[in-house]
Amino acid sequence: MSVMLDYAPDDIALIQEQAKASNTSVEEFIRQASLKAARNAAYLAKLDRSREEFQQGKVVAFTDEEWEKYINAQDIQ
């Protein structure tokens, strides 16, 4: 898939500088940065959903003793 992006001159200079510092091409730097931004957005959305569930009381809480009992009951080989 091909994408056309239009950047301001200052932004182009910043991208070129960062690509050079990363020892990669501008195209590869932009590709990696966009994928990283997409993963971060997905993670932030997951945190938002978790926060909403917490506020709605949709959580399970364990005491330290319950965690210890759970951990000790695991069959770890």
Side-chain angles (χ1 to χ4, degrees), residues 29-57:
F29 179 82
I30 291 170
R31 190 186 74 76
Q32 290 176 6
S34 64
L35 290 172
K36 182 178 181 180
R39 287 189 298 271
N40 285 344
Y43 178 69
L44 291 174
K46 186 175 183 179
L47 289 177
D48 287 342
R49 284 190 303 276
S50 295
R51 192 173 298 117
E52 288 174 15
E53 289 176 358
F54 179 79
Q55 290 172 345
Q56 294 171 2

Side-chain angles (χ1 to χ4, degrees), residues 1-7 27 30:
M1 178 168 95
S2 183
V3 176
M4 178 78 119
L5 301 172
D6 188 24
Y7 290 103
E27 293 81 4
I30 291 170

Side-chain angles (χ1 to χ4, degrees), residues 3-16:
V3 176
M4 178 78 119
L5 301 172
D6 188 24
Y7 290 103
D10 289 346
D11 293 335
I12 292 171
L14 175 63
I15 291 169
Q16 288 173 330

